[in-house]
Each structure stands twice: as C-alpha cells, then as structure tokens.
Amino acid sequence: MNLLVTGAAGFIGSTYVRGLLAADTPDAPHITVLDKLTYAGTLTNLPASHPRLTFVQGDICDAELVDRLMAEADQVVHFAAESHVDRSIDGAGAFVRTNVVGTQTLLDAALRHGVGPFVHVSTDEVYGSIETGSWPESHPLQPNSPYSASKASSDLLALAFHRTHGLDVRVTRCSNNYGPHQFPEKVIPLFVSNLLDGKNVPLYGDGSNVRDWLHVEDHCQGIDLVRTGGRAGEVYNIGGGTELSNKELTGLLLEACGADWDRVDRVADRKGHDQRYSVDWSKIHDELGYTPKHDFTSGLADTVAWYRDNRDWWEPLKERAALESRKEQEKH
Ligand code: NAD
Ligand code: DAU
C-alpha cells in the first residue's frame, strides 16, 4: 500500500509519518511525502533514509507533479497548509493558494486516479469562536481569520468532492496541537524558546482567550483511526480535553522554565482574535474508540524538556525566520 502524505516535513505531518514508520508490521504502508519545504518544513523532522519513505520536494499546487504521485498512491493524508494565523493577517495570498487551490489540485488528481480514503486535515478554527459549550461536527462553519477562512474553503471543497463525485473523503477538525518539532512561531514553542534564551514573551491582549490543548501524538492517533476505520464523507472532531486561557498557559510555561511574570510583555491583541475554541469529540470516541493518551501536565513538561535538549533543531529555524522577516521589513 502506498500512502501519499502531504506537508509531512512540518510539525503534525512529520509526527504522523514517524509514527507509521516506527510500526514495522507486514501491512505497514510505503509512504511518499510531498512537501514544498516552506519556512515551516524541515527535513530534520523526517528519517530521510528509511526504506519505507520516499521524499519528494514539491508544491501541492503543481498539477503535473501531483498527478504523477497520485497515479502511484492508494490513499492520501493531506496536512500541507499555510498554518499560522498571524501570517494570514499579514497577507492572505499564500493561504488561498496553498490551502484552497492546493487542496483542489489534490482532490482533482485523487478523483482522476480513484484514490481513497483521502483524509483532509482541517481545524476547529473553521467553526469560528464559541463562548460556552462545544461544537458538534454539524455546526455551521463561521471562520474569522484569513487562515481559518482558507481552511474552511478547503474543508468544504473536500466534502463537496464526496457529495458530488463519491470520492472517499474523510475530514478531521482538531484543536490546538502541542509537542516536539512544532515551529517556534506558535505560542508554546515561541514562549519556551524565548524563555530558554532569556528573552521576554509577547502575550496578546488580556490573555483571556481559551484554547483546548491536544498532544500531537494523540492527534495523529485520531487521524489514523479515521483513515483506517472512519466513514466516507464524514467529519470527525478531535479534541485534547485541556482548556486553558493563554494567561494560565503562560503561567505554566514560566514555571516550567523557572521564570517570573516580569518576563511577560503585554502586547496589542491579535486582530479578530477568536476568544475560545472547543470541539465536542464524542463522535470519534464513540465510533472509533479515540481517547487522548497524554495527560497535559506530563505532556507539557516533556515538550519543554524536548526544546531544552534540542536547540540544534529550533535555533536555525528561528534565525532563518528572523532573517526573512528583516528582509521583508526592508522591502517595505
Ligand atoms: P506546519 O506549518 O508545521 O507544516 C506545514 C507543512 O506544509 C510544512 O512542512 C510546509 O513545508 C508544507 N507546505 C506548505 N505549503 C505547501 C505547498 N504549497 N506544497 C507542499 N507543501 C507545503 O503545520 P502543522 O502545524 O503541522 O499543521 C498541519 C495541518 O494541520 C495543517 O493543515 C493545519 O491547518 C492543520 N492543523 C494544525 C493545528 C495545529 O495546532 N498546529 C491544529 C489544527 C489543524
Ligand atoms: O485551533 C487549531 C489551530 O491552532 C490551528 O488550526 C492553527 O494552525 C494553529 O496555528 C493554532 O492556531 P492559534 O492561533 O490558536 O495558535 P497560536 O499558537 O498562534 O496562538 C495560540 C494562542 O496564543 C492564541 O490565542 C494567540 C495567543 N498568542 C499567540 C502568539 C503566537 C499570544 O498571546 N502570543 C503570541 O506570540
């Protein structure tokens, strides 16, 4: 079986692929990774010489390349995306191109070659923001940022390919992931790497915004349950079960890094900042037996320890991102 995985040089996709490659059972798939290696992707996330892995550097918007890879694929798990909300506020173009056009390019090719299941990795942000309670999968989509609007578009396109053409598409919508190998622009690795470097951390607004934290390995477990046992045309929410305000999270990160509140800069709020995300994940629990295995306290401690022990991984990424941002500023 040949599994095509897009975006697996990034945080979640690479965790998923490393997990599948570690399980050396007779039915273990051969994995072809298609990744453009944008600023967010790095080959250091993948065991490049593994005999069951083929890495192809390329763009999911490249119809010719996608067609060639899809002709050899049996199934798809689609992670590739522009994933950072703040970047989508600075400029939405790359988000529409990769997240919408790239997904459509993959769906067209999957249809041409009869490939399925096609697992589309979406996000809880497509639902918008919720003050109390949790969203079931049937909740209407009300995305607020250019990022989440582009993800909602690709999510709906994927479902439309099932309704219209009968393609075996399965969509997952998960909450905020954390764990090793997360690019140091997202709040946990940004705050941890800043604190380890003796720098301050920027807390947006009043810090009251709430996120539900999901360990990346639990997310990957959920995705694989959907790939192997889910139903065509269905959406599955995947949650972590640990809701925290950003202020509470910051307190835990300060404590883990032995720092005080004087290291926190209260900065202007994110534009259009969603107040709270919360998914009801009883469907994947009841139907596929999904339960998160990581408890947040030890998961966070292990994550902080990983960043402390793996400076070689994140320092070059942070330096490159800072250089690119300086170049961008000079242009304007
Ligand atoms: P990431 O930014 O760490 O990785 C994205 C990967 O996609 C990178 O390796 C990048 O090189 C690749 N990529 C980007 N544009 C591409 C293109 N045009 N062609 C080919 N490859 C391209 O992202 P992540 O955090 O691992 O997220 C993976 C998926 O999960 C995304 O679809 C994201 O929307 C979704 N998601 C993420 C979270 C989270 O908390 N990180 C939560 C919910 C959903
Ligand atoms: O909910 C799933 C989503 O989670 C995914 O779809 C996205 O790809 C992923 O990036 C994440 O989006 P968020 O915007 O929730 O994650 P981020 O880490 O950027 O921010 C988490 C919270 O922390 C958010 O309320 C904003 C706040 N924050 C973030 C940064 C980067 C700060 O206060 N300061 C910061 O510097």
Side-chain angles (χ1 to χ4, degrees):
M1 204 273 277
N2 193 10
L3 179 63
L4 176 62
V5 184
T6 70
F11 167 48
I12 306 172
S14 69
T15 308
Y16 180 72
V17 165
R18 288 194 308 275
L20 287 188
L21 292 177
D24 217 1
T25 52
D27 59 345
H30 182 90
I31 297 173
T32 300
V33 169
L34 171 59
D35 196 298
K36 190 178 174 182
L37 295 182
T38 66
Y39 78 94
T42 165
L43 279 179
T44 59
N45 281 341
L46 289 170
S49 58
H50 195 287
R52 284 196 288 111
L53 177 67
T54 303
F55 180 81
V56 179
Q57 181 172 3
D59 192 329
I60 57 167
C61 299
D62 179 343
E64 218 174 286
L65 173 63
V66 165
D67 190 75
R68 187 156 53 75
L69 296 177
M70 204 62 83
E72 292 160 6
D74 300 299
Q75 301 183 359
V76 178
V77 182
H78 172 36
F79 293 95
E82 288 293 337
S83 70
H84 194 45
V85 174
D86 293 322
R87 286 178 185 256
S88 81
I89 296 169
D90 291 343
F95 287 74
V96 173
R97 184 177 175 280
T98 288
N99 300 0
V100 186
V101 179
T103 300
Q104 171 251 316
T105 306
L106 288 163
L107 289 165
D108 274 346
L111 185 61
R112 251 190 323 274
H113 294 285
V115 176
F118 181 120
V119 180
H120 174 74
V121 180
S122 187
T123 168
D124 60 0
E125 293 197 21
V126 297
Y127 294 119
S129 182
I130 188 167
E131 289 294 325
T132 54
S134 303
W135 296 293
E137 287 83 354
S138 56
H139 197 277
L141 306 194
Q142 294 173 320
N144 294 314
S145 71
Y147 161 70
S148 53
S150 69
K151 289 295 290 186
S153 308
S154 56
D155 177 319
L156 293 175
L157 258 179
L159 291 171
F161 268 67
H162 172 72
R163 283 294 292 266
T164 307
H165 300 294
L167 189 68
D168 181 348
V169 168
R170 306 166 189 192
V171 172
T172 59
R173 297 180 185 147
C174 72
S175 57
N176 282 62
N177 285 222
Y178 73 99
H181 295 267
Q182 186 169 32
F183 193 86
E185 65 183 351
K186 306 294 195 298
V187 72
I188 290 181
L190 175 73
F191 280 22
V192 170
S193 57
N194 277 13
L195 292 169
L196 293 177
D197 269 349
K199 294 183 186 145
N200 282 10
V201 298
L203 182 61
Y204 295 164
D206 64 5
S208 68
N209 308 70
V210 172
R211 298 292 183 264
D212 166 33
W213 292 99
L214 166 67
H215 194 281
V216 63
E217 286 171 6
D218 286 325
H219 181 200
C220 291
Q221 178 221 151
I223 288 171
D224 218 47
L225 286 171
V226 170
R227 177 179 71 85
T228 54
R231 287 178 292 138
E234 292 294 317
V235 177
Y236 296 88
N237 287 340
I238 307 178
T242 303
E243 285 194 25
L244 291 173
S245 71
N246 292 335
K247 219 168 147 182
E248 288 168 325
L249 175 69
T250 302
L252 295 175
L253 295 175
L254 290 171
E255 198 183 317
C257 296
D260 295 323
W261 277 94
D262 59 5
R263 300 280 294 283
V264 179
D265 292 333
R266 308 304 285 253
V267 300
D269 208 355
R270 173 184 276 174
K271 282 189 194 168
H273 199 168
D274 285 334
Q275 183 58 33
R276 177 173 172 264
Y277 303 140
S278 182
V279 285
D280 172 348
W281 45 275
S282 51
K283 178 175 171 180
I284 190 170
H285 175 268
D286 297 349
E287 207 176 301
L288 302 175
Y290 166 79
T291 310
K293 293 190 170 64
H294 289 264
D295 105 278
F296 186 74
T297 306
S298 59
L300 191 69
D302 291 349
T303 301
V304 172
W306 188 87
Y307 280 88
R308 188 174 277 126
D309 294 344
N310 288 277
R311 274 182 173 274
D312 287 359
W313 182 85
W314 56 265
E315 269 179 350
L317 298 178
K318 252 185 139 164
E319 276 162 21
R320 198 177 68 184
L323 188 72
E324 275 164 16
S325 135
R326 274 202 298 279
K327 274 193 200 152
E328 265 314 296
Q329 279 165 5
E330 278 162 24
K331 265 198 240 163
H332 297 113

